[in-house]
Amino acid sequence: MAVHPGEHVAAGGAARVDERALGAGTTLRFALLVALLLASSSLILLYVALALSPYDGFVCSLAAGVDPVTDPAANVMAKRALQWEAYQSCSERAAAPPSGWWLLGWWALLALGTVALFRALPAWKARRSRVVPLAAVDRDGEIGRTLAELSATAGLARPPRAVVDLAADSAGAVVFGRTGRPTVCLHGGLVAARTTDPGRFRAVLLHELAHIANRDVTVTYLTVALWRVYAAVAVPLFLLWCAWKVHTAYGSQAWSAEAPIVTRGLLVTGLLAVLVHLARSDVLRSREVYADLAAVRWGADPAAGWSTAAAPAPAGGRGRRARHAFVALWHLHPGWDVRRAALADPAVLFGVRALPLALTGAAAAIIHTHITYAITQYYLLTVWMQHAAALVPAALVAGVVGTALWRAAVYAALTGQPAPSSVRAGLWLGLGLAGGSAVAGQGTVNEWLPARPWVFALVVAAAMAFTWWLTQCAHLWVVAWRGRSLRGVALLNLAAAALALSLWFVWWQNFGAAYAAGWSFDAAALRDHQLTFYAGKELDHPPASPVDRAYVLLMTVGTAVTSPPLALLALAGLWVTPLLAWLPRPGADPPRWVRAAAPADGPAPG
C-alpha cells in the first residue's frame, strides 16, 4: 500500500523541504533563451541573404498561380500546394536559397563574438570598477585566510581570485568571470564591515561562493554575451532588411502583402528584447534564492546576512501593488522579504508562476516557426526534418515547464499542501504559445490577422492537456517511487511529454495554423478519393454530409498525429509512463527519496 510522503515529513519533523529535492531547471531556461536567439538570428541572416541575392519569390508565386496581393491566405496555401512543382521549379531558378555556408558562417561569427565578449567581460568589469587586488588591502592576510576557509566549506577545489572595489561603499560583493576562473569582487563597505559585522561578512562571502559552487557564473555571462552580440550584430541587420523592404516595396502592388510581414518582424524583435530580459531576470532571481539557502546551509547567520530593512509595502490599493509587482519583474534580484521568507520555507522555488510559463510558451512558438521557415527555404521539409524541428521546442517546453510541475508535486507531497492547478498552468503556457505563434506569423501568411482567430483556442487547450498529463504522472510517481532519487523517473516522464508535445507542434504547423489562416478541408473530394481507392469505382460526387466531414476530420488528424517518425513511440509513452507508476513496488517505508529531501550539505542543482 502506498503511503503519502507528506506523512513521513511530518513524522520526521523536517523544518523545511530541501530545495535540491529535484533539479531546479534554471539551466534549461537559459538553454531556451540561447535557442531562441540562435533561431531568431538565423532567420534574420536568411532575410538579409535573400535580399542580397537575385531572389524573386513574388514572381515564383505568380508562376504558381498565386497573387499575394489579391489572394487571401487560404488561396495562397491552396494554390501553392496544387502548383508546388511549378513553384519549386521557378524557385530553383529565380528564388534559390542562399548557400548553406551563409548559415554556417553566421553561426561561427555569433560563436566567436560571444566567446570573445564572454572572455572580455571580466576585464571590462574590473576596469570599470577600478578594482585593486585583495592583497593591496589585506595586509595581514586575514581576509585571504577567511576566503580560503569558506571556499573549502563550499566544496571548491581552490579559492577564487579576489579583488576589492574601493569606490563601492555598500556591504556587498559580486562574482564575475566563469566557473573555472571566477573572480569575487568585494565592495569597500564589506571589507570595512569585516571587523564591525563579521557575521554579515561571512554570509555575503558564502553567498557569492554558492554562485560558484552552483555553476551560475559561466551560464549567466554566456547568456549576457550572446544577447549583446545578437543586439549588436543581428538586430541592425534586421533593421536594414526592414528599411530595404519598405524602400523597394512601398507604393508597389507587393506592399500590401509585404507590410504585415515587415511589421510582424519588428514586433518579434521587440518581443524578443522583452522576453529575454524578463526570462533572464526571473532565472537570476531564483538563483539568488538558491545561493542564499546554500550559504545558510554552510553556516551563514540568517540574522546577520539578511538583516537589511525591508522596503515598506506599497500603499494605495490594488493598482499600486500591481505596479509594484510589475516593476519587480524587471529586477535581477528578489526583494529582501522574499529572500528572508525563503530561508524558512523555500516555497518560492517550488511554485508554478504565470510569467515563466507564458514566456516559455512564446519562446517555443517563435523557435519552432523560425526553424520551420529555415528548413522550408532549403527544401528540407521531410517528415524526419519536420519532427526534428518540432522536437527542439517540445523538449525545451517539457524540460522547463515539466520540471516546474514536478517540483510543485514534490513540494505538495512533502508538505501536505495542495498542488498548484495544472489547468491554470496550462492556460498560461497556452496563452504564451498562442501569442508567440500569432506574432511569428502562424495563421496569417500575408494578412494582418488570421481568418479564424478562434482556432488558437486549440493551442491553449493542447497546453492545458499537456500540463494536466504531466501533473497527474508526477503525482503518481511521487507516491509510488521508492528509490533514493526522483530524477530518473522525472526524466522518463519529461521525455515522454516532449515526444507527445512534438506531435502537437507538427500538427499545428501543418494543419492547425493553415486552418486558422482560412484553409478548409475539401471533405467531398477526400471522401471520393478514399472510396474510389478502396472500392475501386467512380462515384457521382454527391455533396459532403456532416458524417463525411467528421470522417475526413478524424482521418486527417489521425494521419497527422501518426505520420511523424516517432509518433508510435510518443503515443506509447503517453500510456506506458503512468502505467509503470501503478506497478507494485515493495520497499522501505518511508520512500528513500523522502529521507533524502531533508536539508543536507552540497550545492544546489543547476
Side-chain angles (χ1 to χ4, degrees):
M1 182 180 74
V3 182
H4 196 282
E7 299 173 2
H8 302 294
V9 174
R16 62 175 177 82
V17 178
D18 191 340
E19 74 279 6
R20 302 162 300 164
L22 201 64
T26 51
T27 301
L28 276 173
R29 287 154 71 183
F30 276 122
L32 178 72
L33 297 182
V34 171
L36 176 64
L37 294 177
L38 286 177
S40 178
S41 63
S42 298
L43 182 67
I44 290 173
L45 184 275
L46 285 177
Y47 281 161
V48 174
L50 292 174
L52 297 176
S53 70
Y55 176 86
D56 196 346
F58 187 79
V59 170
C60 291
S61 294
L62 296 176
V66 177
D67 186 356
V69 178
T70 59
D71 282 339
N75 289 349
V76 171
M77 290 183 294
K79 289 180 179 179
R80 281 184 178 173
L82 294 173
Q83 302 293 334
W84 173 249
E85 291 183 359
Y87 183 81
Q88 183 175 359
S89 176
C90 176
S91 297
E92 292 173 352
R93 299 191 311 273
S99 169
W101 290 105
W102 279 80
L103 275 177
L104 293 177
W106 178 250
W107 293 335
L109 176 64
L110 288 178
L112 290 174
T114 300
V115 171
L117 183 58
F118 172 71
R119 290 183 174 275
L121 278 174
W124 176 79
K125 288 180 71 69
R127 282 198 302 270
R128 188 187 67 168
S129 303
R130 297 180 181 178
V131 300
V132 297
L134 177 62
V137 297
D138 185 25
R139 301 297 185 182
D140 58 0
E142 181 63 28
I143 298 178
R145 287 190 292 272
T146 302
L147 179 61
E149 172 204 337
L150 297 181
S151 298
T153 301
L156 302 181
R158 60 180 181 274
R161 174 175 173 259
V163 296
V164 179
D165 184 357
L166 297 176
D169 56 1
S170 64
V174 66
V175 175
F176 55 85
R178 57 184 185 272
T179 301
R181 294 184 60 186
T183 297
V184 176
C185 178
L186 309 180
H187 293 176
L190 182 66
V191 174
R194 177 175 64 92
T195 55
T196 60
D197 193 353
R200 180 174 182 81
F201 180 80
R202 293 177 65 89
V204 171
L205 271 186
L206 283 170
H207 174 92
E208 299 306 327
L209 294 173
H211 280 305
I212 301 173
N214 294 348
R215 300 176 297 279
D216 293 346
V217 186
T218 294
V219 68
T220 300
Y221 279 94
L222 269 178
T223 308
V224 170
L226 178 59
W227 166 249
R228 292 183 179 179
V229 170
Y230 172 87
V233 180
V235 172
L237 281 178
F238 177 73
L239 295 178
L240 287 174
W241 175 83
C242 290
W244 177 83
K245 295 293 285 187
V246 172
H247 174 73
T248 56
Y250 185 74
S252 68
Q253 288 184 329
W255 177 243
S256 60
E258 297 286 358
I261 299 173
V262 174
T263 303
R264 278 195 297 272
L266 291 171
L267 286 175
V268 169
T269 303
L271 177 63
L272 282 178
V274 173
L275 191 152
V276 169
H277 183 82
L278 287 177
R280 176 173 165 263
S281 299
D282 183 72
V283 173
L284 291 179
R285 287 195 298 270
S286 296
R287 294 213 171 210
E288 287 298 316
V289 176
Y290 274 109
D292 287 346
L293 293 168
V296 171
R297 193 165 53 246
W298 294 332
D301 182 4
W306 290 263
S307 59
T308 300
R318 182 178 301 176
R320 185 178 293 273
R321 289 195 298 271
R323 288 193 296 272
H324 177 77
F326 176 76
V327 171
L329 295 177
W330 302 83
H331 291 170
L332 300 181
H333 286 70
W336 284 106
D337 53 342
V338 174
R339 298 176 68 170
R340 278 190 291 268
L343 295 180
D345 182 5
V348 66
L349 299 178
F350 292 91
V352 181
R353 300 186 305 280
L355 177 65
L357 294 170
L359 295 178
T360 299
I366 295 172
I367 290 170
H368 186 225
T369 304
H370 289 181
I371 293 176
T372 303
Y373 177 85
I375 63 177
T376 302
Q377 289 296 312
Y378 288 95
Y379 314 117
L380 298 175
L381 211 59
T382 63
V383 291
W384 274 103
M385 288 299 295
Q386 288 185 71
H387 204 173
L391 277 171
V392 174
L396 291 170
V397 170
V400 174
V401 177
T403 298
L405 293 173
W406 261 82
R407 287 178 62 82
V410 168
Y411 184 79
L414 291 174
T415 61
Q417 299 181 17
S421 170
S422 62
V423 174
R424 178 179 175 274
L427 175 64
W428 284 106
L429 174 63
L431 289 175
L433 282 168
S437 297
V439 173
Q442 288 189 326
T444 53
V445 189
N446 57 345
E447 302 289 341
W448 287 101
L449 296 171
R452 300 188 183 102
W454 58 266
V455 176
F456 283 87
L458 294 176
V459 180
V460 179
M464 293 169 70
F466 170 77
T467 54
W468 176 84
W469 182 87
L470 256 175
T471 301
Q472 296 306 311
C473 286
H475 289 319
L476 286 172
W477 279 105
V478 162
V479 174
W481 185 246
R482 321 301 295 179
R484 185 173 182 178
S485 173
L486 285 167
R487 296 197 183 198
V489 291
L491 183 60
L492 171 67
N493 193 189
L494 299 185
L499 281 174
L501 188 60
S502 70
L503 300 185
W504 163 258
F505 276 113
V506 171
W507 180 86
W508 175 252
Q509 181 68 36
N510 291 336
F511 294 94
Y515 193 70
W519 173 76
S520 298
F521 296 97
D522 189 345
L526 287 173
R527 175 208 58 200
D528 294 345
H529 172 75
Q530 290 289 313
L531 293 177
T532 301
F533 178 80
Y534 288 109
K537 60 181 180 180
E538 295 291 335
L539 303 174
D540 295 333
H541 305 291
S545 67
V547 175
D548 295 330
R549 296 182 185 278
Y551 165 75
V552 169
L553 178 62
L554 290 174
M555 181 191 67
T556 305
V557 172
T559 301
V561 170
T562 57
S563 60
L566 302 179
L568 294 180
L569 181 61
L571 294 174
L574 288 176
W575 291 97
V576 172
T577 303
L579 286 175
L580 288 175
W582 284 326
L583 295 177
R585 285 185 178 81
D589 190 14
R592 286 180 291 170
W593 72 263
V594 172
R595 295 195 297 268
D601 293 337

